[in-house]
Amino acid sequence: MALTDKERDFWQENGYLVMGRVLSPAEVESLRRAAEALAAGAQGLTESMDRFKLDVFISGTKMLQQVAEPHEVDEEWMTLAKDPRILDVVEDLLGPNIQLYYSMMMMKPPRQGFEAPWHQDLAFFAHDRAELLACQVYIDNSTPENGCLQVVPGSHKLGLLNHFKDGRFAEVVQGDTSAFDENQVALPVEASSMILWHSLTLHRSAANRSDQSRRAIVFEYKNPETRLLGGAFDWQREVRPVGVMVRGEDPRGELHRA
Ligand SMILES: O=C(O)CCC(=O)C(=O)O
C-alpha cells in the first residue's frame, strides 16, 4: 500500500491527490534535459504536425504547447511512466493491472502557455467505466501565475457532464460554470511533485502570465478491462490510443507489455 487510509479517503471524497517531492533534484534536471530534446524535435515547425501541437496564445507567436506520447520517443519518459513511486499509488487507486493509455508533455512557455477550460478527461475518450486517472509529473514549479492546475473537489461524483455544443465536441464543459469557479481549488506544486486526478474530476488551468516556464508530463492510466467506446478527441497529433501494459496483466491478453 503506497497510500495511507487518509490519502485514500481524500481521493474518494475529492477525486484528486497531490504528492510533493516524488523525484530527486537530479532526476528533475535529467527530465528537463529530456524535455528540451523533445522540444527540439519541433524546431522549424510553423504548424502543428504529428505529435507536436503549436498554438498562439498571449504574445501572438505560435509556439510549441504539447507533445503527444513522449514515452514513445525517449525511453526516459517510459521509465518514468513505469516508476514504482508512481505505479504503487496508481495501483492503490486502479488495482493491480495498469495500462498506460497515453502521455502528453504540456509546455507552458513564459508568457505563452495555453489555457485549458473546465473539462473532464473522460469526455475526450469515452469508456464504459470511469476506471481511468491522470497523473501529472512536474519538472518546473507550478504556480497560480504560470497556470497551475485547478480542480473542483468532489466533481468526480457528478458523472459525465455535457461537452458537446451544436452536435460537435467542444472540449469544454457546457452550461453555467460559475459554481465550479466558486468551488475550485488551485494546486500549486514544486517541480518533482505529482498530481493525480480522476477521469471525471473537473479541472482547468489558466495561461502562463509569468516569466517562468511550466512544464509537466501527464500520464493517463487505466484498468485494461475498461473499454474504449469512442474518442470525441479527433486531432491529427493523436498517435495512440492502444497503450501498453505497465504493471500486472491484461486479462484479455490483447495488450503489449512495455
Ligand atoms: O497541464 C494543464 O494545465 C492541464 C492538463 C489537462 O487539462 C489535462 O491533461 O487534461
Side-chain angles (χ1 to χ4, degrees):
M1 292 289 166
L3 293 176
T4 62
D5 288 348
K6 205 170 156 198
E7 286 168 328
R8 201 190 304 260
D9 290 350
F10 186 91
W11 171 267
Q12 297 288 350
E13 194 51 33
N14 295 290
Y16 71 94
L17 272 178
V18 179
M19 317 208 72
R21 301 200 183 164
V22 177
L23 306 174
S24 69
E27 287 172 313
V28 172
E29 266 317 309
S30 174
L31 290 170
R32 283 179 180 157
R33 283 194 296 275
E36 278 154 26
L38 204 57
Q43 234 162 27
L45 289 186
T46 52
E47 295 298 330
S48 298
M49 191 182 286
D50 302 327
R51 60 184 75 242
F52 301 106
K53 185 183 185 199
L54 278 59
D55 257 322
V56 175
F57 282 88
I58 301 166
S59 76
T61 314
K62 203 165 236 191
M63 293 189 76
L64 180 64
Q65 304 286 338
Q66 295 175 11
V67 184
E69 319 291 7
H71 70 276
E72 293 179 351
V73 179
D74 181 345
E75 188 56 34
E76 197 159 350
W77 301 112
M78 178 56 100
T79 303
L80 183 63
K82 293 193 289 186
D83 192 300
R85 290 167 293 184
I86 297 178
L87 289 189
D88 289 352
V89 173
V90 175
E91 180 169 343
D92 279 357
L93 301 173
L94 285 184
N97 300 325
I98 305 172
Q99 176 184 353
L100 174 64
Y101 182 57
Y102 84 91
S103 66
M104 184 90 72
M105 172 61 74
M106 308 289 193
M107 309 274 189
K108 289 201 187 199
R111 305 215 167 265
Q112 296 291 340
F114 64 93
E115 186 173 351
W118 286 124
H119 66 281
Q120 295 167 306
D121 289 344
L122 201 67
F124 284 72
F125 27 80
H127 279 74
D128 61 354
R129 279 173 282 171
E131 291 180 26
L132 301 89
L133 61 78
C135 175
Q136 193 168 37
V137 182
Y138 288 80
I139 59 171
D140 291 322
N141 293 338
S142 180
T143 64
E145 293 73 32
N146 72 5
C148 70
L149 198 76
Q150 294 162 266
V151 296
V152 180
S155 53
H156 62 305
K157 298 177 186 167
L158 295 175
L160 187 58
L161 304 173
N162 180 30
H163 291 63
F164 282 80
K165 188 175 183 189
D166 302 330
R168 294 176 70 92
F169 183 58
E171 300 194 8
V172 49
V173 75
Q174 300 298 293
D176 181 4
T177 54
S178 51
F180 306 147
D181 299 344
E182 279 157 30
N183 294 313
Q184 62 85 23
V185 173
L187 304 177
V189 290
E190 283 179 24
S192 83
S193 308
M194 64 184 187
I195 301 177
L196 299 104
W197 65 90
H198 190 284
S199 57
L200 286 172
T201 297
L202 278 161
H203 58 287
R204 73 173 176 189
S205 66
N208 184 353
R209 297 186 184 276
S210 79
D211 292 327
Q212 308 303 319
S213 156
R214 199 226 77 180
R215 291 166 298 177
I217 184 164
V218 66
F219 297 115
E220 193 85 29
Y221 297 105
K222 71 175 196 175
N223 171 346
E225 289 182 273
T226 306
R227 282 275 178 196
L228 178 69
L229 299 176
F233 194 25
D234 177 20
W235 183 43
Q236 56 171 341
R237 81 192 143 111
E238 204 179 10
V239 285
R240 36 163 174 128
V242 179
V244 286
M245 291 300 295
V246 286
R247 182 172 282 189
E249 302 298 329
D250 171 17
R252 298 192 311 269
E254 291 171 2
L255 293 163
H256 296 294
R257 175 170 270 285

